[in-house]
Amino acid sequence: MDKLAIIGGRPLYGVIPISGAKNSALKVMAASLLSDQELTLENVPRLADVDMLLRLLNQHGVASVFENSTLRLRAKDIASTEAPYDLVRKMRASFNVLGPLLAREGKAKVSLPGGCAIGARPVDLHLKALGAMGADIELDEGYVFAAAPDGLKGADISFPFVSVGATEHVMLAAVLAEGRTVISNAAREPEIADLAVCLNAMGAGIAGAGTSTITIDGVKSLSGATHRVLPDRIETGAYAMAVGATGGELTLKGADGSLLGAGLSVLEETGLLVEPVDGGLKVKKQVDRCRAVDIVTQPFPGVATDLQAQFMALLATADGVSRIKETIFENRFMHAPELARMGAQISVDGQTATVRGVPRLKGAPVMATDLRASMSLVIAALAAEGQSMVNRVYHLDRGFERLEDKLADCGALIERVKD
Ligand code: EPZ
């Protein structure tokens, strides 16, 4: 398994291009199943997760051409309505093919995604919503068997709590349902609005995406379209925090600060200047040592849970005591003991971590069990004294495009060590 060798202590200067958002690309890719025409997606990041979903779409009959960052997808005919365990268990976002297959073909057999390192992550809201839209759903041998031979019907769906994936799943199914679907307590993440822009370009009737009530008027068929995936807000936040941890000044090309929600003001509170410039964002460290802050993760526009681990790395060397409360996932502090191996002073009590900033971290061999946690270790290693070895780089390859090249271009001493 590849590792990253990082020698810390060098400030970052230069330009980092921000890639298209992984968590948007994966959903708009699933939209290709809804039409027999070509869907052209621009600004698609080259990531292991994107490749994995592509493999699944290919076996459903989607023809694909991926050149540079443009992905052309065409599902002229659906070859199979079954999504096998091997392709779904590795990546939860694959589960979202269920709705489109059901909407287009009237049936689907999709493996349950199972738990993952950050928590149990059930799909009960997804299944209940599809059931409310008229699908017959049965669970057997780890698979969801869903059928709607007469098509899906619009329904009023009120989520008891906010779920990004379930909101997107209902949107992907309701666009071809008969009649109107209204989602209440919908997720408001920027990726939801991006999915709506893509589906509407294909001819769907979605209004209100980005607010907590989304209305979808079903149509009989969808056409092809061209859609540009929005910039990755988590990658943006992570590189901004790398500047906070190491010092220096970066231009994040293509980034949009408004996509960070409350995360933007937290970055500023720590002592970073984050300023829109032509074609992106400028990030500069304005203080010698970042200031401690308290953070509570929340659905958008709150601070993203996907930035929590990176904030912990930044705050590990901040001046003062920070408290971080994780409210979205029950087990998302696995990076804390790894950061402690580098000298961070962190105590975890249930869903709250208390971080007492130390002046300097020390390089160490570390590893993480998920993508964002791995990025937090990279940030810590960039700031630490001496060499760190970040193991299990495959996590980073799932979600950060050309990570070591982007950082090395800005002065970081970072190298991939092949095993
Ligand atoms: C998406 O996951 C993202 N993944 C996650 O990013 C992100 O952390 C999360 O949204 C929250 O922002 C993708 O977009 C591919 P949820 P998702 O449904 O949709 C519970 C990353 O690192 N829940 O909003 O799976 C669930 O367990 C990943 O890129 C149910 O109980 O998240 C969680 O506690 C990690 N039943 C909460 O809701 C359900 O049916 C919110 O999850 C669905 C969810």
Side-chain angles (χ1 to χ4, degrees), residues 22-24 26-27 92-93 118-127 161-166 168 187 189 191 233-234 299 304-306 327-330 332 370-372:
K22 167 184 81 89
N23 287 347
S24 185
L26 295 173
K27 318 307 163 61
R92 189 181 154 84
I118 60 177
R121 302 182 80 186
V123 286
D124 52 327
L125 299 186
H126 300 232
L127 297 180
F161 52 88
V162 171
S163 163
V164 175
E168 291 164 335
E189 269 63 9
E191 292 74 23
R233 62 197 166 100
I234 308 304
T305 173
D306 288 350
T327 73
I328 310 291
F329 292 108
E330 67 269 28
R332 213 176 190 183
D370 78 85
L371 163 63
R372 311 302 176 185

Side-chain angles (χ1 to χ4, degrees), residues 27-63:
K27 318 307 163 61
V28 291
M29 283 169 70
S32 67
L33 290 167
L34 291 163
S35 167
D36 61 3
Q37 304 296 308
E38 184 171 280
L39 177 64
T40 301
L41 300 174
E42 297 170 352
N43 204 29
V44 177
R46 285 263 176 189
L47 296 169
D49 275 9
V50 167
D51 283 344
M52 202 173 308
L53 181 58
L54 206 45
R55 272 175 54 205
L56 179 63
L57 293 176
N58 289 155
Q59 74 90 43
H60 287 309
V62 180

Side-chain angles (χ1 to χ4, degrees), residues 224-263:
T226 295
H227 176 73
R228 187 172 174 81
V229 174
L230 90 173
D232 196 311
R233 62 197 166 100
I234 308 304
E235 190 191 27
T236 301
Y239 287 128
M241 285 187 244
V243 175
T246 66
E249 179 177 332
L250 288 181
T251 300
L252 304 178
K253 200 170 136 203
D256 175 352
S258 70
L259 302 179
L260 289 165

